[in-house]
Amino acid sequence: MAKNVISDETIEYVGILAKLELSGEERERAKEDMANMLDYIDLLNELDTAGVEPMSHVFPVHNVFREDVVENGDDRDNMLANAPEQKDGCYKVPKTVE
């Protein structure tokens, strides 16, 4: 028998949040399932986890990306060389918003 008892109001509220329309039988089954899940969590809470390091992933994950190193630097003069118009080291474009 489940130690955690889920009320009809709780199932109704969860159904509203999840946008589910549950029949009477589905509602009873959901109450049992939710109670079983909470019972299992209670069982896990009984475990002694002293000295167990927290982890963010079950497998060792290492960054496989390269370092973000700037290779082309500031090449503003060459980029602006082809601009039809420029002003104060920036592209000058027609106004598009009034």
Side-chain angles (χ1 to χ4, degrees):
M1 176 95 185
K3 292 187 292 183
N4 290 289
V5 177
I6 308 301
S7 68
D8 290 331
E9 292 81 18
T10 302
I11 287 297
E12 185 71 28
Y13 183 64
V14 170
I16 291 169
L17 291 177
K19 298 184 189 234
L20 296 174
E21 292 183 23
L22 300 173
S23 68
E25 183 180 311
E26 290 171 327
R27 184 173 291 141
E28 290 304 313
R29 180 70 182 146
K31 284 171 53 175
E32 289 176 30
D33 288 344
M34 192 177 289
N36 289 337
M37 285 186 267
L38 293 174
D39 289 342
Y40 186 70
I41 291 170
D42 287 343
L43 182 66
L44 290 176
N45 285 334
E46 294 174 10
L47 293 174
D48 179 19
T49 56
V52 177
E53 289 288 325
M55 61 181 168
S56 61
H57 202 279
V58 294
F59 298 110
V61 178
H62 304 285
N63 187 356
V64 295
F65 299 111
R66 64 173 171 75
E67 290 294 319
D68 189 14
V69 178
V70 177
E71 294 179 359
N72 59 352
D74 183 13
D75 199 18
R76 180 185 301 185
D77 294 334
N78 284 333
M79 289 186 278
L80 288 172
N82 293 324
E85 293 186 54
Q86 55 179 297
K87 179 179 179 184
D88 300 327
C90 298
Y91 293 100
K92 186 175 179 184
V93 296
K95 188 175 184 178
T96 58
V97 178
E98 297 285 334

